[in-house]
Amino acid sequence: MKRMIVLFAGVIFFNLSCVTNAITGRSQLSLVSDAELQSLAVTQYKEFLTTNKMVPAGNRDAEMVKRVGNRVAVALRDYYAQKGMPNALDGYGWEFNLVESKEVNAWCMPGGKVVCYTGLLPVTQNETALAIVMGHEIAHAILGHGKERMSQQMAAQGIGALGGAAMGTNAKAVNIFGQVYGIGAQYGALLPNSRKQELEADHYGLIFAAAAGYDPRQAVDFWTRMAAMSNGQQPPVFMSSHPSDEERIRKVSEVMPEALQYYRPK
Ligand SMILES: [Zn+2]
Protein backbone atom coordinates (compact mmCIF):
# COMPACT_ATOMS: atom_id res chain seq x y z
CA MET A 1 0.00 0.00 0.00
CA LYS A 2 2.73 2.39 0.98
CA ARG A 3 4.44 1.69 -2.31
CA MET A 4 1.24 2.41 -4.18
CA ILE A 5 0.84 5.75 -2.45
CA VAL A 6 4.42 6.67 -3.26
CA LEU A 7 3.86 5.62 -6.85
CA PHE A 8 0.63 7.60 -7.00
CA ALA A 9 2.29 10.68 -5.51
CA GLY A 10 5.07 10.22 -8.05
CA VAL A 11 2.59 10.18 -10.92
CA ILE A 12 0.86 13.36 -9.67
CA PHE A 13 4.22 15.06 -9.16
CA PHE A 14 5.32 14.09 -12.65
CA ASN A 15 2.11 15.30 -14.31
CA LEU A 16 2.12 18.62 -12.47
CA SER A 17 5.76 19.19 -13.33
CA CYS A 18 5.61 18.43 -17.02
CA VAL A 19 5.35 20.87 -19.89
CA THR A 20 4.60 20.14 -23.53
CA ASN A 21 7.28 21.42 -25.83
CA ALA A 22 5.72 23.80 -28.38
CA ILE A 23 7.95 22.61 -31.24
CA THR A 24 8.22 18.85 -30.71
CA GLY A 25 4.89 18.31 -28.89
CA ARG A 26 6.73 16.07 -26.43
CA SER A 27 5.99 16.21 -22.69
CA GLN A 28 9.08 17.06 -20.61
CA LEU A 29 9.74 17.13 -16.87
CA SER A 30 10.28 20.75 -15.82
CA LEU A 31 11.30 21.64 -12.26
CA VAL A 32 13.02 24.92 -13.13
CA SER A 33 11.75 27.92 -15.04
CA ASP A 34 13.49 29.25 -18.14
CA ALA A 35 14.19 32.53 -16.33
CA GLU A 36 15.95 30.74 -13.43
CA LEU A 37 17.95 28.60 -15.80
CA GLN A 38 18.94 31.55 -17.99
CA SER A 39 20.10 33.58 -15.03
CA LEU A 40 22.24 30.70 -13.78
CA ALA A 41 23.58 30.25 -17.32
CA VAL A 42 24.69 33.90 -17.50
CA THR A 43 26.69 33.52 -14.28
CA GLN A 44 28.24 30.18 -15.27
CA TYR A 45 29.03 31.38 -18.80
CA LYS A 46 30.88 34.46 -17.53
CA GLU A 47 32.84 32.31 -15.12
CA PHE A 48 33.67 29.85 -17.89
CA LEU A 49 34.95 32.60 -20.18
CA THR A 50 37.16 34.13 -17.49
CA THR A 51 38.70 30.78 -16.58
CA ASN A 52 39.25 29.61 -20.19
CA LYS A 53 41.21 31.15 -23.04
CA MET A 54 38.88 32.87 -25.46
CA VAL A 55 40.01 33.36 -29.07
CA PRO A 56 39.74 37.15 -29.57
CA ALA A 57 37.23 38.78 -31.91
CA GLY A 58 38.83 39.53 -35.27
CA ASN A 59 40.40 36.10 -35.50
CA ARG A 60 39.11 34.34 -38.65
CA ASP A 61 37.82 31.27 -36.85
CA ALA A 62 36.27 33.26 -34.00
CA GLU A 63 34.49 35.39 -36.60
CA MET A 64 33.25 32.28 -38.39
CA VAL A 65 31.73 30.98 -35.13
CA LYS A 66 30.01 34.34 -34.57
CA ARG A 67 28.80 34.50 -38.17
CA VAL A 68 27.32 30.98 -38.08
CA GLY A 69 25.73 31.64 -34.69
CA ASN A 70 24.20 34.94 -35.72
CA ARG A 71 22.81 33.47 -38.93
CA VAL A 72 21.22 30.59 -36.99
CA ALA A 73 19.79 33.03 -34.41
CA VAL A 74 18.15 35.13 -37.16
CA ALA A 75 16.77 31.97 -38.80
CA LEU A 76 15.35 30.86 -35.45
CA ARG A 77 13.58 34.16 -34.94
CA ASP A 78 11.89 33.71 -38.34
CA TYR A 79 11.14 30.05 -37.62
CA TYR A 80 9.31 30.87 -34.37
CA ALA A 81 7.49 33.79 -36.00
CA GLN A 82 6.23 31.44 -38.72
CA LYS A 83 4.96 29.10 -36.00
CA GLY A 84 3.01 31.97 -34.42
CA MET A 85 5.40 32.33 -31.46
CA PRO A 86 7.34 35.51 -32.27
CA ASN A 87 8.26 36.11 -28.62
CA ALA A 88 9.39 32.57 -27.78
CA LEU A 89 13.07 33.50 -27.56
CA ASP A 90 12.69 36.93 -25.98
CA GLY A 91 14.78 35.95 -22.95
CA TYR A 92 17.70 35.01 -25.17
CA GLY A 93 20.88 37.07 -25.22
CA TRP A 94 22.91 35.26 -27.85
CA GLU A 95 26.69 35.03 -27.51
CA PHE A 96 28.99 32.93 -29.65
CA ASN A 97 32.56 32.40 -28.55
CA LEU A 98 35.47 30.27 -29.68
CA VAL A 99 37.57 28.90 -26.83
CA GLU A 100 41.03 27.40 -27.07
CA SER A 101 40.87 23.72 -26.17
CA LYS A 102 41.83 20.43 -27.78
CA GLU A 103 38.41 19.09 -26.86
CA VAL A 104 36.23 18.27 -29.87
CA ASN A 105 33.18 19.95 -28.43
CA ALA A 106 30.59 22.72 -28.56
CA TRP A 107 27.61 23.55 -26.38
CA CYS A 108 24.77 26.02 -25.96
CA MET A 109 23.48 27.01 -22.55
CA PRO A 110 19.90 28.12 -21.89
CA GLY A 111 19.44 31.69 -23.08
CA GLY A 112 21.79 31.27 -26.04
CA LYS A 113 25.26 31.26 -24.53
CA VAL A 114 27.31 29.26 -27.02
CA VAL A 115 30.88 28.01 -26.96
CA CYS A 116 32.82 26.15 -29.65
CA TYR A 117 36.21 24.66 -28.83
CA THR A 118 39.08 25.10 -31.29
CA GLY A 119 39.46 21.29 -31.27
CA LEU A 120 36.17 21.01 -33.13
CA LEU A 121 37.30 22.98 -36.19
CA PRO A 122 39.71 20.44 -37.72
CA VAL A 123 36.85 17.95 -37.48
CA THR A 124 34.14 20.12 -39.01
CA GLN A 125 36.63 21.37 -41.66
CA ASN A 126 34.19 23.86 -43.21
CA GLU A 127 31.59 26.45 -42.23
CA THR A 128 28.59 24.35 -43.29
CA ALA A 129 29.61 21.41 -41.10
CA LEU A 130 30.23 23.84 -38.23
CA ALA A 131 26.69 25.18 -38.77
CA ILE A 132 25.34 21.64 -38.57
CA VAL A 133 27.06 21.06 -35.20
CA MET A 134 26.08 24.50 -33.85
CA GLY A 135 22.51 24.02 -35.12
CA HIS A 136 22.44 20.73 -33.24
CA GLU A 137 23.73 22.26 -29.99
CA ILE A 138 21.39 25.26 -30.24
CA ALA A 139 18.49 22.87 -30.88
CA HIS A 140 19.29 21.09 -27.59
CA ALA A 141 18.97 24.42 -25.77
CA ILE A 142 15.82 25.74 -27.37
CA LEU A 143 14.07 22.36 -27.17
CA GLY A 144 14.66 22.49 -23.41
CA HIS A 145 16.86 19.40 -23.28
CA GLY A 146 19.21 20.79 -20.64
CA LYS A 147 16.25 21.79 -18.53
CA GLU A 148 14.77 18.31 -18.94
CA ARG A 149 18.01 16.55 -17.93
CA MET A 150 18.49 18.95 -15.07
CA SER A 151 14.93 18.37 -13.83
CA GLN A 152 15.31 14.58 -14.09
CA GLN A 153 18.52 14.75 -12.06
CA MET A 154 16.96 17.08 -9.48
CA ALA A 155 14.06 14.65 -9.07
CA ALA A 156 16.51 11.75 -8.73
CA GLN A 157 18.39 13.65 -6.00
CA GLY A 158 15.20 14.59 -4.18
CA ILE A 159 15.35 18.31 -4.98
CA GLY A 160 11.89 19.72 -5.67
CA ALA A 161 11.02 22.67 -7.85
CA LEU A 162 13.16 25.69 -6.96
CA GLY A 163 11.61 29.10 -7.13
CA GLY A 164 13.19 32.47 -7.82
CA ALA A 165 16.81 32.96 -6.92
CA ALA A 166 16.91 29.69 -4.92
CA MET A 167 18.29 28.02 -7.98
CA GLY A 168 21.57 29.94 -8.18
CA THR A 169 22.25 29.51 -4.46
CA ASN A 170 21.42 25.81 -4.25
CA ALA A 171 24.82 24.10 -4.40
CA LYS A 172 23.34 20.80 -5.57
CA ALA A 173 21.39 22.49 -8.37
CA VAL A 174 24.48 24.45 -9.51
CA ASN A 175 26.45 21.22 -9.48
CA ILE A 176 23.84 19.45 -11.63
CA PHE A 177 23.91 22.39 -14.05
CA GLY A 178 27.68 21.93 -14.40
CA GLN A 179 27.22 18.23 -15.08
CA VAL A 180 24.54 18.86 -17.70
CA TYR A 181 26.79 21.26 -19.62
CA GLY A 182 30.10 19.58 -18.89
CA ILE A 183 31.65 22.98 -18.23
CA GLY A 184 34.28 21.84 -15.80
CA ALA A 185 35.94 18.73 -14.45
CA GLN A 186 35.09 19.89 -10.93
CA TYR A 187 31.50 18.93 -11.58
CA GLY A 188 32.34 15.30 -12.26
CA ALA A 189 30.78 13.13 -14.93
CA LEU A 190 28.89 14.71 -17.78
CA LEU A 191 25.19 13.89 -17.79
CA PRO A 192 24.59 12.71 -21.34
CA ASN A 193 21.63 13.53 -23.51
CA SER A 194 19.23 10.71 -24.18
CA ARG A 195 19.05 9.12 -27.60
CA LYS A 196 15.63 10.71 -28.09
CA GLN A 197 17.08 14.17 -27.35
CA GLU A 198 19.96 13.54 -29.74
CA LEU A 199 17.69 12.60 -32.62
CA GLU A 200 15.49 15.65 -31.91
CA ALA A 201 18.56 17.91 -31.92
CA ASP A 202 19.72 16.36 -35.22
CA HIS A 203 16.29 16.88 -36.78
CA TYR A 204 15.69 20.49 -35.70
CA GLY A 205 19.36 21.46 -35.83
CA LEU A 206 19.37 20.51 -39.51
CA ILE A 207 16.28 22.67 -40.15
CA PHE A 208 17.85 25.65 -38.35
CA ALA A 209 21.17 25.31 -40.21
CA ALA A 210 19.25 25.06 -43.52
CA ALA A 211 17.12 28.10 -42.70
CA ALA A 212 20.35 29.97 -41.89
CA GLY A 213 21.53 29.31 -45.46
CA TYR A 214 23.74 26.25 -44.96
CA ASP A 215 23.19 23.29 -47.29
CA PRO A 216 21.68 20.53 -45.11
CA ARG A 217 22.70 17.88 -47.65
CA GLN A 218 26.28 18.23 -46.39
CA ALA A 219 25.15 16.76 -43.06
CA VAL A 220 25.20 13.22 -44.39
CA ASP A 221 28.83 13.61 -45.53
CA PHE A 222 29.75 15.23 -42.23
CA TRP A 223 28.24 12.52 -40.03
CA THR A 224 29.76 9.84 -42.26
CA ARG A 225 33.17 11.51 -41.84
CA MET A 226 32.60 11.66 -38.08
CA ALA A 227 31.68 7.99 -38.02
CA ALA A 228 34.89 7.09 -39.85
CA MET A 229 36.95 9.27 -37.47
CA SER A 230 35.52 7.79 -34.31
CA ASN A 231 35.71 4.26 -35.64
CA GLY A 232 37.40 2.20 -32.95
CA GLN A 233 38.35 5.30 -30.98
CA GLN A 234 36.81 7.37 -28.26
CA PRO A 235 34.17 9.48 -30.05
CA PRO A 236 34.28 13.26 -29.64
CA VAL A 237 32.61 14.56 -26.47
CA PHE A 238 29.70 16.19 -28.26
CA MET A 239 28.67 12.90 -29.84
CA SER A 240 29.74 10.45 -27.15
CA SER A 241 26.20 9.74 -26.05
CA HIS A 242 24.75 9.93 -29.49
CA PRO A 243 22.79 7.28 -31.38
CA SER A 244 24.66 4.76 -33.49
CA ASP A 245 26.23 6.18 -36.63
CA GLU A 246 23.95 4.12 -38.89
CA GLU A 247 20.82 5.27 -37.07
CA ARG A 248 21.89 8.90 -37.11
CA ILE A 249 22.74 8.92 -40.81
CA ARG A 250 19.48 7.12 -41.65
CA LYS A 251 17.40 9.59 -39.59
CA VAL A 252 19.22 12.62 -41.02
CA SER A 253 18.41 11.32 -44.51
CA GLU A 254 14.77 10.85 -43.49
CA VAL A 255 14.33 14.47 -42.37
CA MET A 256 16.29 15.88 -45.34
CA PRO A 257 13.20 16.68 -47.49
CA GLU A 258 11.77 18.71 -44.58
CA ALA A 259 15.10 20.52 -43.97
CA LEU A 260 15.38 21.32 -47.69
CA GLN A 261 12.01 23.10 -47.54
CA TYR A 262 13.63 25.57 -45.13
CA TYR A 263 16.89 25.88 -47.07
CA ARG A 264 17.55 29.44 -48.20
CA PRO A 265 20.94 29.49 -49.96
CA LYS A 266 22.89 32.69 -49.29
ZN1 LIG B 1 23.79 16.34 -28.97
Side-chain angles (χ1 to χ4, degrees), residues 136 140 193 198 238 242:
H136 174 101
H140 274 311
N193 285 293
E198 287 309 331
F238 78 95
H242 286 185

mmCIF file of all heavy atoms in Angstrom, residues 136 140 193 198 238 242, ligand 1:
data_model
loop_
_atom_site.group_PDB
_atom_site.id
_atom_site.type_symbol
_atom_site.label_atom_id
_atom_site.label_comp_id
_atom_site.label_asym_id
_atom_site.label_seq_id
_atom_site.Cartn_x
_atom_site.Cartn_y
_atom_site.Cartn_z
ATOM 1 N N HIS A 136 22.765 21.852 -34.126
ATOM 2 C CA HIS A 136 22.440 20.729 -33.242
ATOM 3 C C HIS A 136 22.505 21.161 -31.767
ATOM 4 O O HIS A 136 21.575 20.906 -30.991
ATOM 5 C CB HIS A 136 23.433 19.587 -33.527
ATOM 6 C CG HIS A 136 23.325 18.418 -32.609
ATOM 7 N ND1 HIS A 136 22.683 17.250 -32.973
ATOM 8 C CD2 HIS A 136 23.768 18.217 -31.344
ATOM 9 C CE1 HIS A 136 22.733 16.393 -31.960
ATOM 10 N NE2 HIS A 136 23.399 16.952 -30.960
ATOM 11 N N HIS A 140 19.385 21.654 -28.947
ATOM 12 C CA HIS A 140 19.293 21.090 -27.587
ATOM 13 C C HIS A 140 18.776 22.153 -26.616
ATOM 14 O O HIS A 140 17.915 21.892 -25.783
ATOM 15 C CB HIS A 140 20.673 20.643 -27.087
ATOM 16 C CG HIS A 140 21.069 19.254 -27.490
ATOM 17 N ND1 HIS A 140 20.252 18.154 -27.329
ATOM 18 C CD2 HIS A 140 22.229 18.771 -28.022
ATOM 19 C CE1 HIS A 140 20.891 17.065 -27.752
ATOM 20 N NE2 HIS A 140 22.072 17.411 -28.192
ATOM 21 N N ASN A 193 22.968 13.425 -22.945
ATOM 22 C CA ASN A 193 21.626 13.535 -23.508
ATOM 23 C C ASN A 193 21.099 12.137 -23.766
ATOM 24 O O ASN A 193 21.870 11.197 -23.972
ATOM 25 C CB ASN A 193 21.688 14.266 -24.848
ATOM 26 C CG ASN A 193 21.889 15.746 -24.677
ATOM 27 O OD1 ASN A 193 21.025 16.441 -24.183
ATOM 28 N ND2 ASN A 193 23.055 16.243 -25.079
ATOM 29 N N GLU A 198 18.968 13.413 -28.671
ATOM 30 C CA GLU A 198 19.962 13.539 -29.740
ATOM 31 C C GLU A 198 19.299 13.569 -31.119
ATOM 32 O O GLU A 198 19.651 14.375 -31.975
ATOM 33 C CB GLU A 198 20.970 12.385 -29.684
ATOM 34 C CG GLU A 198 21.949 12.489 -28.538
ATOM 35 C CD GLU A 198 22.630 13.837 -28.468
ATOM 36 O OE1 GLU A 198 22.809 14.486 -29.500
ATOM 37 O OE2 GLU A 198 22.959 14.261 -27.354
ATOM 38 N N PHE A 238 31.049 15.746 -27.931
ATOM 39 C CA PHE A 238 29.698 16.192 -28.260
ATOM 40 C C PHE A 238 28.859 15.099 -28.914
ATOM 41 O O PHE A 238 27.658 15.247 -29.073
ATOM 42 C CB PHE A 238 29.729 17.464 -29.131
ATOM 43 C CG PHE A 238 30.054 17.203 -30.578
ATOM 44 C CD1 PHE A 238 29.032 17.059 -31.498
ATOM 45 C CD2 PHE A 238 31.361 17.117 -31.005
ATOM 46 C CE1 PHE A 238 29.325 16.832 -32.825
ATOM 47 C CE2 PHE A 238 31.660 16.885 -32.323
ATOM 48 C CZ PHE A 238 30.638 16.738 -33.239
ATOM 49 N N HIS A 242 25.676 9.844 -28.373
ATOM 50 C CA HIS A 242 24.750 9.935 -29.487
ATOM 51 C C HIS A 242 24.302 8.567 -29.996
ATOM 52 O O HIS A 242 24.890 7.554 -29.654
ATOM 53 C CB HIS A 242 25.396 10.761 -30.600
ATOM 54 C CG HIS A 242 25.419 12.235 -30.279
ATOM 55 N ND1 HIS A 242 25.846 13.177 -31.156
ATOM 56 C CD2 HIS A 242 25.047 12.889 -29.175
ATOM 57 C CE1 HIS A 242 25.742 14.373 -30.599
ATOM 58 N NE2 HIS A 242 25.268 14.215 -29.393
HETATM 59 ZN ZN ZN B 1 23.791 16.340 -28.975
#
